[in-house]
């Protein structure tokens, strides 16, 4: 078993990169939720017009982190920093962001929270639905 994993990188060179990509995705999801919850905590607002604004901000922060982590750690790009490259990357994520924010906002603002769910918990449930859906 140890021998199998010891030369895994030589047999499947994409595996370490995939693991890094997966870890960056987990980190970005954590950043998204952390920023969303920080904004909810600071304002005391977890629904209404505030929620899509907060969700958009948290998504933008997570996508920005994703760009830099994937560029410099996952894919180890040695190219210089180009604004056009970042804008292309971000442009692709605009569609995903629209879906993400839209689904989360729909759940939070248009579906009633089950009994016993606090507004903050329901905001997080909406964010989970958005992650799963997108």
């Amino acid at each position: 078993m140890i021998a199998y994993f010891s030369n895994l990188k030589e047999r499947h060179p994409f595996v370490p990169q995939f693991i890094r990509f997966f870890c960056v995705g987990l980190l970005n999801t954590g950043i998204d939720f952390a920023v969303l919850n920080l904004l909810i905590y600071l304002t005391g607002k977890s629904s209404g017009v505030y929620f899509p604004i907060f969700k958009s901000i948290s998504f933008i922060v997570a996508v920005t982190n994703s760009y830099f982590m994937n560029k410099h750690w996952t894919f180890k790009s040695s190219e210089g920093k180009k604004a056009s490259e970042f804008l292309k990357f971000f442009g692709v994520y605009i569609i995903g962001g629209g879906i993400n924010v839209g689904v989360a906002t729909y759940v939070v603002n248009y579906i009633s929270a089950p009994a016993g769910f606090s507004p903050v918990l329901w905001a997080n449930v909406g964010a989970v639905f958005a992650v799963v859906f997108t």
Side-chain angles (χ1 to χ4, degrees):
M1 183 81 155
I2 292 173
Y4 176 79
F5 287 108
S6 66
N7 66 355
L8 185 64
K9 186 176 180 179
E10 288 79 32
R11 288 182 294 126
H12 304 290
F14 64 89
V15 170
Q17 188 177 60
F18 177 78
I19 291 170
R20 288 191 300 269
F21 184 74
F22 181 77
C23 289
V24 169
L26 287 177
L27 176 64
N28 292 329
T29 302
I31 289 171
D32 188 358
F33 278 77
V35 171
L36 176 64
N37 281 285
L38 177 64
L39 292 170
I40 290 170
Y41 175 77
L42 291 174
T43 63
K45 308 287 185 187
S46 60
S47 62
V49 71
Y50 297 98
F51 183 80
I53 294 169
F54 296 164
K55 188 68 181 99
S56 296
I57 292 168
S58 68
F59 184 81
I60 289 168
V61 171
V63 166
T64 302
N65 181 70
S66 176
Y67 172 78
F68 290 107
M69 291 285 298
N70 281 316
K71 178 178 173 104
H72 298 294
W73 185 56
T74 304
F75 302 110
K76 297 180 182 176
S77 176
S78 60
E79 294 180 24
K81 297 176 185 172
K82 298 178 187 174
S84 63
E85 182 182 77
F86 177 74
L87 291 175
K88 288 177 189 175
F89 177 86
F90 199 76
V92 169
Y93 277 90
I94 291 287
I95 296 168
I99 294 168
N100 186 291
V101 172
V103 167
T105 300
Y106 180 79
V107 169
V108 170
N109 287 335
Y110 298 104
I111 298 176
S112 298
F117 277 65
S118 72
V120 174
L121 178 59
W122 192 241
N124 281 277
V125 169
V128 169
F129 270 93
V131 168
V132 171
F133 192 81
T134 54

